[in-house]
Every structure is written in structure tokens, then in C-alpha cells.
Amino acid sequence: MRSSSEPEVTDAALTIEDLAVQLRSRGEVADILDGITLTVPRGSVTGVVGESGCGKSTLLRAILGILPGRATTPRGRILFEGRDILPARAAKPHGRIGFVPQDPYLSLNPVFRAGDQILEIMRRHAPGTRAEHRVKLVELFRAVQLPDPEAALHKYPHQFSGGQRQRLLIAAALCCDPALIVADEPTTALDVTTQREILGLLRELVRARGLSMLFVTHDFGVLASLCDEVSVLYAGRVAESGPTRAVLDTPTHPYTRMLLSCHPDRAVELLGIPGAVPPATAQPAGCRFHPRCPVAQPDCRSEVPPLLPWPGGRAVACPHTARMEAHALA
Amino acid sequence: MPELLRAEALTTDLGRRAGFLRPAVSLRAVDGVTLSIAEGEAFGVVGESGCGKTTLARTLLGLQREAAGEITLAGRRVSGLAPAEARRLRADIQYVHQDPGAALDPWWRVGATLDEGLRIHGVGDAAERAARIAEMLAAVGLDADFGQRYPHELSGGQQRRIGLARILLLRPKLVILDEPTAGLDLSVQASVLRLLAELRARFGLTYLFISHDLTVVRRVCDRVAVMYLGQVVEEGPAEALFARPAHPYTRALLAAAPHLDGRAAGPSLPGEPPSLRRIPAGCRFHPRCTRASALCAAQTPPTEAAGPAHHVACHHWREAA
Ligand SMILES: Nc1ncnc2c1ncn2[C@@H]1O[C@H](COP(=O)(O)OP(=O)(O)OP(=O)(O)O)[C@@H](O)[C@H]1O
Ligand SMILES: Nc1ncnc2c1ncn2[C@@H]1O[C@H](COP(=O)(O)OP(=O)(O)OP(=O)(O)O)[C@@H](O)[C@H]1O
Ligand code: SF4
Ligand SMILES: [Mg+2]
Ligand SMILES: [Mg+2]
């Protein structure tokens, strides 16, 4: 029998179109995401970068279907395996999308064995018996290079180091054979040496298992070492997107340019960006970056700049990038 | 430049609370650290989490008593004293906390916290305190009305600015900055680093800059010490140390740091970050070292000169790649 919503055929593992998310609290409306459009091509890693509060975690929550109850989604579609999974009544892709959280220290319940916590997820969302699940989990522990995978099944979270816990959580994200992994700054709490190992592991898993991944970070170095494509978020909107190398080598949106010039690897003189990211309850009209933008024009205060295609598979939401060129030379 | 602070073979033991029917055990978090910081210098300390960076800072401050070794401040020996006395003699050294929020009282407006600090340090005149606070808020780039705010009404970057203002009000010579940019956004980090450079020039400050972010340390510091399991394994001018790292651990750290150009890094460091509770014999780094030999497992490597003012503790540093 055919369902009424025939899957759309596409090359993308995930497509997000014009997604808006608002949160209501005490009469105020917080405009958290507004018109997010991005694609995760099959078998590749797409990065989402942006400063604290720009809406990165909210975007992942929308994809996972775990937005808080007070949230509304006035516009948008999230296409996964050909179906829109955004509407509240849409079937949720449990297990088909694996999630790697930010903090390996907070994400496991300390009173239960780590293995049992993952087996419980498998019981709910994966076919097979408990014995089969155990065999598979030990295999996964081996794949994420946990030392002594058999014994790991019986250990409590505090018996693992930070890096090992992040490996456990990656195993948990993989336990129901997902097609897509979404990761929320999974290496921020780790030392550089451990971070490097985890990034290597993620790269290897994507390659070996043909996974696709959406990877949230605020670290451009991590982005450069892992992601094929990137979307740069500012105040809940996409400022610029495209192949990571191109965006890092020739940043085009005034925000991306200024942000990258703050990077200690690149800065001639560390300046910072004047002003601060606006609170979600008081987003400026027009281009949300205009109060901090050195080349803002009168129309920037009233017109929302659309995300327009740019050569080389890129897209930029600013009509005044040429002025930025002149500004940089001045 | 004259030497401002010197630590000679400094060793610090941390007591671990004894369990029921179990004797107290102690942990040697700093083990024989020697360093010398010149006046006006920015001196960096880097290393993985738990290697003893904060404990070293607390010992230099006199908040933690050293088990052995000697600390000299501006030519005066200050070690061996009881913590209270040591702290008083070391008023010229101030500490900016790793967690800026933790250093501020959540129930007090930040202005009141700043005022309290000055009062404790014997500035009796209220008008003078108010004037110094206003001047210092301006110096860290905040409007005077920030004094009226509560800590939770400040962003991460603003909290750090207040933390700096609080310390600088006491007119220290040496400021110990513990992870001053951890958790900050790139743009905020850039403005904090710029502020630190301005304040250093304006007040003639000396910095001890603790961080695990090598890109930042490289940018800010004149000299750098690399710590591993409570010991300094390499120390030298920042330029030389980053350009020609002599210790295998320094090399591994540099290779692990992600860079914007996505350059292919060297081989990664095997094994988990180590624990002070299980210190390997011989060279402490040998279980993770790609260059380790039988000698490394048996004998502690001596500290040798690897260049002008550049020291390294490794049996095989000469065989560098
Ligand atoms: N429950 C909530 N009620 C009101 N506003 C919220 C709520 N949760 C988040 N926000 C706001 O929504 C915006 C986006 O938050 P989100 O957590 O998605 O940001 P983020 O990019 O993940 O930030 P970070 O890098 O700090 O994790 C922020 O301005 C935040 O203050
Ligand atoms: N009060 C204490 N009692 C016992 N052990 C402690 C105490 N404080 C810290 N430690 C231990 O001492 C070691 C060194 O800690 P320290 O805080 O100096 O490390 P660090 O290099 O500053 O690490 P981080 O980068 O995580 O801040 C760690 O193993 C820590 O667990
Ligand atoms: S002494 Fe040996 S084990 Fe230690 S760092 Fe040098 S080569 Fe490696
Ligand atoms: Mg977040
Ligand atoms: Mg510390």
C-alpha cells in the first residue's frame, strides 16, 4: 500500500527550508530562528557555526522534534528521508537521526550503567532482542575504540574519562543505525588532544558507514578540520553558506569577515566586533547585523536581505558585500 | 628586564579527603617546577586539564602551601610562611578566577563587590573608592552604570571585564589570568585579549597567562612553559617554542590544535590524558610518546638547554623530526 505522502527523491540527507522558530514567554515573543535554509548532502558533513545564543541548539532541537512546549514553528519544512518531519503530528524519525550532545559529563545518568542506558534506547527504537542488542553494542563500542568493550558494558559513567564518555555517547547516537547524525559542539568540553581523537573518529565513521552529519560548533578550527559545507548563523538567520574552504578563504558577508578577523590565527590586530548579539526578544528590523555592521546602508534598517546564490555553490545574505571590499581596503 | 617572580623546584601536595577508615592520601599536583618571570612579561602556562596549572597558580599566590621549593617575589623570599602571612606579602600578585561568575557575589551589585575589595585593602575614603571604580570600569570598557547591575545581568565577556576591574583596582604588579578566554565567543575573546594588551601597556602589568588554547597563548605570550603531570617539560621564548618545539608532548599539543587552514596535522597522541594518581616511572610522558625508548621508561630525563633561554626535559629531543 502507498501512503498519501510519497517520499520525495533527493540527494540530500536533510533539507531545511525557511524554518522559523518562536518562543513565547510572559507576553514576549522571542524570534529564535527566522528563515533557516540549509542542506546536508548525503555522505558529507555540514557545519553550523555561530556565536552563543544565535540559535544553533534550537535548530538541532527542531530537527530532533524536541522543541520546548512553548515553541511555535510558524513557517518551514524539515525534509528527512523525503518526508517533512517538522509538523507536530508527523512521525518522528526516532533512531534514524542520532544525537551527540555537548557535554559528556552531564549527558549520562550517573546511577545507571552506561551500557544499560544505551540498551534502553535500543529496546525502544531498534528491532531485535536484548541479546542481539548487546552483541551489537559491544561491536559499536569497538567501532568507537573504547578500551575493553565487553567490560565497558558493565561500567558506570564515572568510570570513564571525558574522552571515553564522548565515545560512549557517539556509540549511543549510532545504536539504532541512523542515516544522519546531529552533533551539538561534541568536543567543546574536551582537551585538544582528546578533541583531535574524537574528530578523527567522527570523520572515520562518516566515511566507513556512509553517514551524513550536521555538526554545530563555534570553533572555526574544528569546522575547518571536519566539515565539507558550512552555514554561518547570526541572530537566528543564515548570514552565509557554502563549501567550508571557500567560506573560510574568502568570507563574504560582513559578519563572517569580521568574525574571522577575530581569529588569533588570522588577525593582524585583534579588534573584536563592536556591540553585542541582540537578545532574541529584541531582534533589530531589517538585517539583524545592521547595528554592528561597518557598511550598513539605510535600506539595511528596514529590508530583510534575502539569502542569494553566489558563485561556487555559495549563498550570501547581504546586498552590500562590494562595500565591504572597499571598507577592508580603507 | 629584572626578574619579578621566581619559583625554584616548587612542589605542592594536595590533601585528598580521607574516606571512612581510610587514611588521607595526598596528591602531588606540582612537582619540582622552576620558572622565572621578568617584569612586564606575559608568561604562558599550557597543558591538558588536570596537569596542575591552577594548583601552580594557587601556590604562587600563597593560597596553597608549597611542600618544597622556594618562591621569590621581586628579590624577596616569600616561601615557608604560613598562608595568611604569605598572602599578605604577596598582595602584589592577584588572581583572575577561571570561572568569572564564581568570583562575584550573586546577591551584590557588582559596584558593591568592587567597593568591598577596595575597603578590605584599606582605601578608607568613600569618594576616592567611587572615583577609582569609575575610572577602572572605563578602563575595562564598561559604562559606569554597570556598577548597578547584578552578576547574572552580565554577559560572559562583561563578567570577565568586571573580574579584571576588581583585580586591577588593587594595583597589582603581577596578574595571574586563569583561562581568561575559555568559553568566550571569538569576537568577545578578541575584545578581551585586546583589553588585556591595553591594560598591560597602561599599568605596566606582568601576566601569568594560564590557558589550554595554544592559538591564544601564541598570540599573547612572550614566554611559554608546557606542563605535563605536574612538571614543566619545556619552557622557552614563545616564538622559538612554537616554531621549533623540542619536546614530543609540545609537538603533539601543537599538532592537535585545529587551525583555520585545516592543515593536515601530524600523528595524533595515543592514549588518554594521564592522571596524577598513576604517575608513570621514568619520563612521565613515555606511555604516550612516539619516540620513547627503554631508557625513557627507566630514567627521568634531565632538563637541558635546547636554545637561548629554551629548556626541555626529554632524553631524545635532539633526534627531533
Ligand atoms: N527556553 C527559552 N526561553 C526563552 N529564550 C530561550 C530559551 N531557550 C533559548 N532561548 C534563547 O534562544 C536563543 C537561541 O538559543 P540556543 O540555545 O539555540 O543558542 P545556541 O546558538 O545553541 O547558543 P550556545 O552557543 O550558547 O549554545 C538565545 O538567545 C536564547 O537566549
Ligand atoms: N583540593 C583538591 N584536593 C585534591 N585534589 C585536587 C584538588 N584540587 C585539584 N585537585 C586535583 O589536582 C590535579 C591538578 O588540578 P588543577 O586544577 O591544578 O589542574 P589544571 O591544570 O588547572 O586543570 P584544568 O585545565 O582542568 O583547570 C587534578 O588532578 C585535580 O583533580
Ligand atoms: S624522554 Fe622519551 S618518552 Fe619522554 S618525551 Fe622524550 S622521547 Fe618521549
Ligand atoms: Mg547551544
Ligand atoms: Mg585549572
Side-chain angles (χ1 to χ4, degrees), chain B residues 291-308:
Chain B
R291 191 159 280 140
S293 63
L295 176 66
C296 304
Q299 271 179 41
T300 305
T303 299
E304 294 174 29

Side-chain angles (χ1 to χ4, degrees), chain A residues 102-105 162-163 166 185-191 194-195, chain B residues 49 212:
Chain A
Q102 169 162 358
D103 196 329
Y105 295 92
Q166 201 51 283
E185 314 215 28
T187 60
T188 307
L190 305 174
D191 275 312
T194 317
Q195 162 172 290
Chain B
S49 184
H212 59 250

Side-chain angles (χ1 to χ4, degrees), chain A residues 215-250:
Chain A
F215 189 94
V216 160
T217 182
H218 65 258
D219 185 330
F220 279 88
V222 169
L223 179 81
S225 71
L226 184 69
C227 303
D228 306 301
E229 303 270 327
V230 59
S231 289
V232 182
L233 259 51
Y234 182 79
R237 289 193 188 136
V238 178
E240 152 159 34
S241 65
T244 305
R245 246 347 326 142
V247 172
L248 292 181
D249 289 344
T250 54

Side-chain angles (χ1 to χ4, degrees), chain A residues 220-221 224-225 245 248-249 265-266, chain B residues 258-264:
Chain A
F220 279 88
S225 71
R245 246 347 326 142
L248 292 181
D249 289 344
D265 261 10
R266 195 166 277 185
Chain B
H259 287 283
L260 276 191
D261 55 13
R263 76 183 79 131

Side-chain angles (χ1 to χ4, degrees), chain A:
Chain A
M1 204 182 84
R2 291 190 153 192
S3 72
S4 55
S5 57
E6 189 70 12
E8 296 169 30
V9 181
T10 140
D11 280 344
L14 182 80
T15 304
I16 298 178
E17 291 172 1
D18 194 30
L19 176 67
V21 175
Q22 297 180 340
L23 260 174
R24 271 160 223 286
S25 62
R26 279 172 280 129
E28 277 186 322
V29 175
D31 234 324
I32 301 194
L33 296 178
D34 184 46
I36 300 291
T37 293
L38 63 83
T39 317
V40 183
R42 226 177 266 289
S44 79
V45 184
T46 296
V48 171
V49 271
E51 296 183 280
S52 184
C54 72
K56 304 182 295 293
S57 297
T58 305
L59 175 64
L60 295 193
R61 275 185 219 115
I63 295 166
L64 293 163
I66 52 170
L67 284 169
R70 294 170 297 123
T72 55
T73 51
R75 302 193 313 281
R77 301 205 297 166
I78 300 181
L79 298 171
F80 175 68
E81 301 191 320
R83 288 199 178 78
D84 183 6
I85 56 171
L86 180 62
R89 53 182 200 297
K92 295 297 166 206
H94 292 298
R96 296 287 298 151
I97 302 183
F99 175 50
V100 186
Q102 169 162 358
D103 196 329
Y105 295 92
L106 299 178
S107 305
L108 288 163
N109 188 330
V111 302
F112 296 108
R113 291 176 214 273
D116 288 343
Q117 295 182 52
I118 303 175
L119 286 169
E120 176 58 21
I121 303 173
M122 297 172 86
R123 187 185 64 78
R124 276 184 278 147
H125 304 302
T129 63
R130 186 165 170 98
E132 286 163 354
H133 288 164
R134 290 174 75 98
V135 171
K136 180 162 173 201
L137 189 53
V138 171
E139 257 168 46
L140 275 176
F141 282 173
R142 200 162 284 129
V144 299
Q145 293 147 32
L146 266 181
D148 203 354
E150 298 276 353
L153 219 45
H154 304 287
K155 287 192 191 165
Y156 288 89
H158 74 264
Q159 294 172 294
F160 296 95
S161 71
Q164 288 172 349
R165 281 187 219 202
Q166 201 51 283
R167 288 171 198 274
L168 272 176
L169 291 169
I170 292 169
L174 294 171
C175 72
C176 302
D177 291 318
L180 175 73
I181 298 281
V182 298
D184 196 352
E185 314 215 28
T187 60
T188 307
L190 305 174
D191 275 312
V192 277
T193 49
T194 317
Q195 162 172 290
R196 163 113 194 257
E197 298 254 303
I198 297 292
L199 291 177
L201 171 66
L202 288 172
R203 250 192 312 265
E204 175 57 23
L205 289 170
V206 165
R207 199 193 53 74
R209 296 176 176 241
L211 287 169
S212 314
M213 181 152 71
L214 185 67
F215 189 94
V216 160
T217 182
H218 65 258
D219 185 330
F220 279 88
V222 169
L223 179 81
S225 71
L226 184 69
C227 303
D228 306 301
E229 303 270 327
V230 59
S231 289
V232 182
L233 259 51
Y234 182 79
R237 289 193 188 136
V238 178
E240 152 159 34
S241 65
T244 305
R245 246 347 326 142
V247 172
L248 292 181
D249 289 344
T250 54
T252 301
H253 192 284
Y255 172 63
T256 324
R257 293 181 78 138
M258 293 185 80
L259 191 59
L260 279 167
S261 74
C262 292
H263 197 284
D265 261 10
R266 195 166 277 185
V268 187
E269 184 193 359
L270 288 169
L271 290 176
I273 304 178
V277 178
T281 46
Q283 301 285 14
C287 172
R288 289 182 174 175
F289 188 56
H290 87 253
R292 306 173 76 187
C293 181
V295 297
Q297 299 301 304
D299 62 314
C300 302
R301 278 177 231 137
S302 51
E303 309 295 323
V304 177
L307 187 64
L308 293 176
W310 204 258
R314 301 173 63 173
V316 180
C318 171
H320 302 297
T321 54
R323 288 179 189 272
M324 198 64 198
E325 217 68 59
H327 175 81
L329 293 175

